Amino acid sequence: MRRFLIAGNWKMHNGPAATRSLLTELNEEVPDIPDSLDALVCPPFVSLEAASEKVRKHFGLFLGAQNLHFEDEGAYTGEVTADMLKEVGCEYVIVGHSERREYFGETDKTVNLKVKKAVSEGIKPIFCVGESLKQRKAGEHVNLVKKQVQVALNEVEASDAEDVVVAYEPLWAIGTGETATPEQAQEMHDMIRGELAELYDEDTSDAIRILYGGSMKPHNAEDLLGQPDVDGGLIGGASLKAESFADIIRIAEELS
Ligand code: 13P
């Protein structure tokens, strides 16, 4: 069985001071992250250093960023490099979140460039895929997500692909309180697993973690994480409160 990855995507919440407070509270809730799983927080860039100090003291909690640029340096105002992320202790980075695709012009192509840069620098990318409600209603979701996976992993070798994490985040479930049913999530995760086996092989596909994202909360986490191909969660709202994030970590521990 794959190790669960319980990842908090804080989005545009929590400056350095709020980051220290939230991680202190989380530390009180979960003094030791269970050995059986991985837990991760992804604060905004300006809070990474504050988080890094806390995370180092909080055994077992990993640190991730919400974006990176695919170049090593240059005139790219507002962007950060993989090296900069490593310097502040990031081991993961979210790539191609739907909010980045919708508001900041990310495309499957830039997602691919970023996934390649992250793996080449030894940072684990969590790349996001998912369909809108309109696309699901039109029956386009399977082919769309399949293509997102194919393009994101273009020219990524099998040996690197094992460090990649896929996050299936149906757009209609993000921040809406509406969740994919466990069956809908499993159906898409199973399809993604199959596509990974096509692109690589069964062993590689089995090693890659596929997270579910979209209104995962303590009350639905058990059913979602109980699906055979759901290997964790990419959690927005519920990761902003120590108690609910800790509850989800505890639920994953029970299932591990
Ligand atoms: P919510 O959990 O708030 O729906 O956010 C999901 C998400 O976008 C995580 O990346």
Side-chain angles (χ1 to χ4, degrees):
M1 181 172 164
R2 289 167 290 271
R3 281 169 75 81
F4 281 123
L5 174 60
I6 303 300
N9 175 9
W10 290 2
K11 307 191 180 182
M12 201 168 71
H13 299 279
N14 295 325
T19 292
R20 286 189 199 95
S21 311
L22 179 51
L23 290 177
T24 301
E25 286 174 35
L26 185 62
N27 203 176
E28 282 160 12
E29 287 276 345
V30 197
D32 276 315
I33 299 296
D35 287 341
S36 57
L37 55 81
D38 296 326
L40 165 74
V41 290
C42 302
F45 289 139
V46 293
S47 302
L48 287 172
E49 189 140 29
S52 186
E53 291 161 16
K54 285 274 176 195
V55 161
R56 267 200 296 275
K57 291 184 200 138
H58 191 159
F59 177 68
L61 186 61
F62 289 106
L63 184 63
Q66 299 174 19
N67 186 27
L68 85 167
H69 198 278
F70 47 81
E71 296 291 350
D72 289 327
E73 63 178 359
Y76 300 102
T77 304
E79 295 292 318
V80 304
T81 66
D83 265 350
M84 295 173 192
L85 297 182
K86 284 198 287 191
E87 198 176 331
V88 291
C90 290
E91 294 185 54
Y92 288 83
V93 62
I94 298 170
V95 171
H97 190 281
S98 60
E99 288 148 14
R100 300 243 17 121
R101 293 177 189 252
E102 183 176 355
Y103 306 128
F104 304 102
E106 294 261 356
T107 62
D108 288 344
K109 178 76 191 147
T110 56
V111 170
N112 174 241
L113 293 170
K114 292 178 177 195
V115 167
K116 285 193 288 191
K117 173 51 72 181
V119 293
S120 76
E121 296 288 340
I123 303 182
K124 298 179 177 68
I126 302 174
F127 78 85
C128 304
V129 298
E131 80 286 355
S132 66
L133 190 56
K134 191 160 164 244
Q135 288 160 332
R136 176 165 277 261
K137 284 193 167 151
E140 295 164 5
H141 51 296
V142 168
N143 283 341
L144 177 102
V145 169
K146 201 180 274 190
K147 178 163 170 277
Q148 289 175 330
V149 171
Q150 286 167 352
V151 180
L153 292 172
N154 187 31
E155 295 175 349
V156 176
E157 301 291 329
S159 53
D160 287 332
E162 292 193 0
D163 282 336
V164 167
V165 179
V166 186
Y168 169 61
E169 299 208 311
L171 274 59
W172 44 274
I174 296 178
T176 59
E178 192 173 334
T179 323
T181 63
E183 294 74 27
Q184 284 172 324
Q186 171 56 26
E187 184 184 32
M188 292 302 280
H189 283 227
D190 176 62
M191 181 280 288
I192 293 168
R193 182 93 53 214
E195 188 54 31
L196 294 171
E198 288 281 316
L199 292 175
Y200 299 104
D201 53 69
E202 295 281 339
D203 286 349
T204 308
S205 164
D206 266 349
I208 297 177
R209 290 186 286 194
I210 308 175
L211 313 185
Y212 170 79
S215 300
M216 185 183 276
K217 312 277 181 200
H219 74 85
N220 58 28
E222 185 176 352
D223 285 346
L224 288 161
L225 295 172
Q227 300 301 310
D229 288 293
V230 176
D231 309 316
L234 185 54
I235 300 151
S239 72
L240 297 174
K241 294 262 182 296
E243 196 183 347
S244 45
F245 194 56
D247 278 347
I248 298 176
I249 291 173
R250 286 190 277 261
I251 290 164
E253 184 186 15
E254 294 263 307
L255 292 168
S256 296

